[in-house]
Amino acid sequence: MLPVPLVQALKGYSRSHFVSDLVAGCVTAFIAVPQTMAYAQLAGLPAEYGLYSSLLPLICYALFGSSRTLVVGPAALISLMIASAIGQIAPASPEAYMQISVNLAMLVGLILMAMSALRLGSFAKLISSPVITGFTSASALIIAASQLNLVLGIEDEKGATFIDTISRMPASLTSSNLSVVLLSAMAFVILWAGKSLLPVLANKLNLPDTAAIALNKSGPIFAVIAGTLVVALWSLNTTQQVAVLGAIPDSLPSLSWALIEFSLWRELALPAFSIALICFLTSISTGSTLASKDHERVNANQELLALGVTNLSSALTGSFALAGSVSRSMVNYSAGAATQIANVVSAFVVLITILFLTPWFYYLPQAVLGAIVIMSVLPMIALNNLRQRWQFNKADAISLLVTFFATLLLGVELGIWAGIACSIILLLQRASQPHIAEVGRAKNGYFRNINRLDVETLPNTIFLRIDESLYFANVQYVESAIMKRCAKSDKLEHLVLIFSSVSFVDESALESLERLLINLKNAGITLHLSDVKGMVQDRLKFTDIEEKLKPGQMFYTADEAMTVLRSGKSTFIQEGAC
């Protein structure tokens, strides 16, 4: 039986909790209606499917999600990946496009549920922050570019890449529709005012917190109302060929397996896995951020299950793949959602919208929806601190840049995997070349880098601290670096390797250590070890390394090694773990 966190959340549920959920659910739905329709179009689907995806999926997440405030539904990044994946197959008709979308959502749901069953919730930690930043920043540019045809009223180039879109834009501007451009400009001004001026207005009016949140986030609603009125009053859809949504069905989707086609799954497997990965990463990061504000935690494996069930329900209602929405989740949290019941309330409000309000959307210009998408994704571009990242960690900056340009040039699917591959390569590169510091004794008795502090050293002895565990990937580098350093000192008699940062050694490391012993002895240098951890000593007990080490010694600490080697005593060998 599937775990249902909502049951636990409802224990002690009170009237005040319901009021909070009711208000938060209504406010979130208020924001969701225009946004989900815009994201449906971004995915290449009719706008009403954005509304459909906010019905059963929201209820499913309310049942199985571990986050009190996460809102699942259409998301800009996922919608872009859906459009990209389906575009590669090039369906011949809108019906075929819809069928592929449904099968893609089904696969995403099954992959997420399989990851939950395998307890792969910690998988998110394997994707570095720079990779996610580079991917989302490039994706935001691709999404914005994909909406230019809507906001400028120019012909849509199906399947055009980001580079193609940008390179063709100067020539396309001459054929833009002035009425569409003016509508788009009006929408951008209203959306900008919603972000900049409405919060000021709410503050001056001393509105209650919930009303202030609703007003602050209502820019898209005002843009939709204004655009619809302008088109309807002047019949711009017929006189100026302004593209509008048109008739939206006021009926509800039905549960059906009819569109499931297993023959498509092989071709959709890789993009489905990519979408499932990004769905989980964006959702868990949003849910964790909101939960941490109230000193709570989300269960990563439970989230995988909830997202899987949510996407399966979306597929069964003929819709598309979904993820946690950053903007709507923030609104839900800020509006005071107490439990997942707020999602149920949002679903009910969307239901009312579908049944009774869809005729009002007939004259809604598609340019306004394009402007809403563009304004929604611009905050995803986070390249302003690239110089600081480069100074702090060049490897992270390289991962970000590789992911960013790979996504722009190769597309969203290959872009994320290129970033992950780059991140892994750089990780292996760092692990294969660990830091080795030459140290001496500082005034406080601790051993520190000789290049950073004024420390005490011995004229015939070198102390080297290896800042990494030793295994097959790095032993050759470590062995070579040690021999190069020893070759620089003519009067060297002793070498002390400090193992304070070594937590693991494998068979290759032991073989390397034995070679090092032989080479150093041939050079007239005695090898000593210090600060050997208990877990490493446990492994060394199964070897004869201590015998081969003689006359070298194994010291508890580097301080003890310096004391003994300074005095010239070399017969005392320590035993036991450090």
Side-chain angles (χ1 to χ4, degrees):
M1 184 175 178
L2 297 179
V4 183
L6 182 60
V7 175
Q8 185 67 29
L10 290 180
K11 291 181 179 179
Y13 194 73
S14 65
R15 182 178 179 179
S16 63
H17 289 145
F18 177 72
V19 172
S20 297
D21 287 335
L22 180 64
V23 173
C26 290
V27 171
T28 304
F30 180 71
I31 309 304
V33 169
Q35 198 176 69
T36 55
M37 290 195 297
Y39 292 161
Q41 288 206 325
L42 175 60
L45 298 166
E48 60 265 25
Y49 284 90
L51 299 176
Y52 297 160
S53 65
S54 297
L55 296 175
L56 183 60
L58 272 179
I59 297 174
C60 288
Y61 183 81
L63 288 171
F64 298 106
S66 63
S67 170
R68 292 188 301 107
T69 53
L70 186 70
V71 178
V72 172
L77 190 51
I78 300 300
S79 294
L80 172 67
M81 297 182 74
I82 292 169
S84 175
I86 300 177
Q88 293 178 10
I89 300 177
S93 66
E95 292 75 16
Y97 194 102
M98 177 58 68
Q99 184 177 38
I100 297 172
S101 172
V102 168
N103 282 271
L104 190 58
M106 177 68 73
L107 265 179
V108 169
L110 292 174
I111 290 171
L112 289 167
M113 293 186 72
M115 291 174 67
S116 175
L118 295 173
R119 316 299 291 175
L120 296 180
S122 59
F123 185 74
K125 300 176 182 178
L126 300 179
I127 313 300
S128 67
S129 175
V131 169
I132 297 300
T133 300
F135 178 69
T136 54
S137 297
S139 297
L141 289 177
I142 295 174
I143 292 171
S146 71
Q147 301 301 295
L148 291 177
N149 66 297
L150 294 180
V151 299
L152 295 175
I154 58 180
E155 184 179 354
D156 183 17
E157 295 286 346
K158 295 292 184 182
T161 65
F162 173 78
I163 301 300
D164 291 338
T165 301
I166 298 302
S167 61
R168 294 171 182 170
M169 193 50 57
S172 300
L173 288 175
T174 58
S175 60
S176 61
N177 186 320
L178 180 59
S179 297
V180 172
V181 172
L182 292 176
L183 278 170
S184 301
M186 178 189 69
F188 280 121
V189 170
I190 294 173
L191 293 168
W192 171 82
K195 290 178 177 290
S196 304
L197 302 182
L198 289 181
V200 177
L201 177 62
N203 186 50
K204 288 186 176 181
L205 294 176
N206 292 320
L207 295 176
D209 290 343
T210 303
I213 292 168
L215 181 61
N216 294 345
K217 302 296 182 179
S218 60
I221 293 293
F222 289 135
V224 165
I225 293 173
T228 302
L229 288 176
V230 169
V231 172
L233 290 175
W234 282 278
S235 301
L236 297 183
N237 57 315
T238 56
T239 61
Q240 299 297 324
Q241 289 73 53
V242 172
V244 297
L245 283 187
I248 294 179
D250 58 1
S251 58
L252 298 177
S254 58
L255 294 177
S256 173
W257 294 88
L259 293 178
I260 303 302
E261 179 58 60
F262 297 115
S263 61
L264 292 170
W265 287 21
R266 183 175 181 179
E267 196 169 3
L268 293 174
L270 182 58
F273 188 81
S274 301
I275 292 172
L277 177 62
I278 297 303
C279 168
F280 175 55
L281 290 175
T282 55
S283 302
I284 195 67
S285 61
T286 303
S288 298
T289 300
L290 295 176
S292 66
K293 295 177 182 292
D294 293 325
H295 308 289
E296 298 174 350
R297 297 182 64 184
V298 296
N299 185 319
N301 288 307
Q302 183 66 35
E303 286 301 293
L304 281 170
L305 173 62
L307 292 168
V309 173
T310 299
N311 277 282
L312 287 181
S313 69
S314 183
L316 291 177
T317 53
S319 197
F320 55 105
L322 312 172
S325 167
V326 178
S327 58
R328 297 193 296 279
S329 297
M330 291 297 294
V331 169
N332 194 41
Y333 174 83
S334 301
T339 68
Q340 296 94 325
I341 293 297
N343 275 317
V344 179
V345 174
S346 290
F348 181 76
V349 175
V350 173
L351 174 63
I352 298 300
T353 302
I354 294 173
L355 294 178
F356 301 106
L357 301 180
T358 50
W360 294 92
F361 296 136
Y362 183 93
Y363 291 102
L364 173 58
Q366 293 188 9
V368 170
L369 293 180
I372 290 173
V373 170
I374 292 174
M375 291 296 286
S376 297
V377 301
L378 287 181
M380 293 167 54
I381 303 174
L383 301 177
N384 54 322
N385 60 347
L386 184 58
R387 177 178 294 182
Q388 181 180 352
R389 285 179 182 269
W390 183 267
Q391 293 173 344
F392 179 75
N393 189 331
K394 288 183 173 58
D396 282 349
I398 291 173
S399 296
L400 188 155
L401 290 172
V402 167
T403 309
F404 179 79
F405 286 109
T407 304
L408 284 183
L409 299 176
L410 303 178
V412 289
E413 291 175 27
L414 293 178
I416 184 63
W417 292 111
I420 293 173
C422 177
S423 184
I424 293 174
I425 291 171
L426 291 173
L427 175 64
L428 293 176
Q429 189 271 338
R430 288 196 296 269
S432 66
Q433 298 182 13
H435 180 254
I436 301 175
E438 184 173 349
V439 298
R441 182 161 59 187
K443 293 180 180 179
N444 57 10
Y446 293 104
F447 276 66
R448 295 290 184 263
N449 196 312
I450 64 172
N451 297 319
R452 295 182 180 273
L453 295 174
D454 183 16
V455 295
E456 177 187 358
T457 59
L458 298 180
N460 64 342
T461 303
I462 293 176
F463 290 80
L464 295 180
R465 188 188 69 232
I466 303 173
D467 293 332
E468 180 64 80
S469 292
L470 297 175
Y471 51 98
F472 69 94
N474 62 20
V475 289
Q476 289 188 352
Y477 173 84
V478 171
E479 183 180 345
S480 175
I482 290 173
M483 292 305 299
K484 286 181 180 179
R485 174 61 189 89
C486 291
K488 294 180 180 179
S489 301
D490 297 332
K491 299 180 181 181
L492 183 62
E493 298 178 9
H494 300 279
L495 170 65
V496 179
L497 293 183
I498 302 174
F499 272 30
S500 58
S501 297
V502 179
S503 300
F504 171 80
V505 292
D506 66 359
E507 185 176 348
S508 298
L510 292 175
E511 293 175 355
S512 177
L513 193 59
E514 292 180 357
R515 284 197 305 272
L516 188 63
L517 271 167
I518 295 172
N519 292 332
L520 290 174
K521 283 182 179 180
N522 291 336
I525 302 170
T526 302
L527 176 65
H528 308 271
L529 304 179
S530 77
D531 300 87
V532 183
K533 293 183 177 180
M535 61 187 74
V536 176
Q537 284 218 23
D538 290 342
R539 289 180 175 271
L540 296 181
K541 287 178 182 178
F542 294 99
T543 71
D544 57 353
I545 193 69
E546 288 194 14
E547 289 298 318
K548 292 182 178 180
L549 192 65
K550 294 178 180 178
Q553 305 181 37
M554 290 182 65
F555 297 101
Y556 273 121
T557 64
D559 185 68
E560 181 185 54
M562 177 170 281
T563 301
V564 171
L565 294 176
R566 181 193 286 113
S567 66
K569 299 176 181 180
S570 58
T571 58
F572 179 72
I573 300 179
Q574 288 284 5
E575 296 182 354
C578 295

